[in-house]
């Protein structure tokens, strides 16, 4: 009974409040619009670029669950809903498969999750707690 109550509480728990960067990594926010072309990044390149951002805010790649929840909400940036509707968005979730490192990516249009090589390119959305 206690296990069932704990599981029920876990399922109904409110996810932590996250702050999402309004544009894709590489774009600039000007007058409430994302400017510049959406850049596609390899996972390692994205991690380096994120590390060079403002140190006041601890920006990071979202998890698969955070990104899927965000894409299904009304808070998803227009830059994701609009021009890049059929692109892969990189996440923080990685796994090793043999000698290769794979990163989970979420398809911005369908929400489908696939593991891509860290050498493949994808778009980057930023989040912080």
């Amino acid at each position: 009974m206690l296990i069932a109550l704990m599981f029920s509480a876990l399922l109904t728990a409110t996810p932590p409040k996250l702050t999402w960067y309004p544009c894709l990594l590489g774009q600039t926010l000007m007058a409430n619009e994302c400017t510049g072309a959406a850049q596609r990044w390899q996972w390692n390149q994205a991690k380096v670029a994120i590390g060079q951002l403002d140190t006041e805010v601890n920006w990071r790649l979202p998890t698969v669950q955070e990104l899927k929840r965000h894409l299904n909400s009304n808070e998803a940036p227009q830059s994701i809903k609009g021009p890049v509707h059929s692109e892969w968005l990189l996440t923080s979730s990685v796994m090793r498969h043999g000698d290769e490192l794979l990163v989970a990516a979420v398809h911005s249009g369908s929400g489908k999750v696939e593991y891509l090589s860290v050498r493949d390119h994808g778009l980057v959305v930023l989040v912080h707690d």
Side-chain angles (χ1 to χ4, degrees), residues 22-93:
C23 300
L24 298 166
L25 182 61
Q27 291 183 308
T28 304
L29 184 64
M30 296 181 96
N32 289 332
E33 297 243 349
C34 295
T35 61
Q39 295 180 13
R40 299 176 81 232
W41 301 81
Q42 290 181 342
W43 187 78
N44 291 329
Q45 293 172 328
K47 296 290 280 182
V48 169
I50 293 167
Q52 294 172 346
L53 294 174
D54 182 4
T55 56
E56 297 281 321
V57 179
N58 193 17
W59 293 110
R60 62 176 174 80
L61 289 166
T63 66
V64 170
Q65 295 80 8
E66 290 168 342
L67 185 53
K68 286 186 71 140
R69 192 168 40 245
H70 186 59
L71 288 174
N72 290 329
S73 76
N74 292 332
E75 298 173 9
Q78 190 60 37
S79 58
I80 295 175
K81 293 178 184 174
V84 296
H85 189 66
S86 62
E87 291 278 352
W88 291 97
L89 300 163
L90 302 179
T91 72
S92 61
S93 306

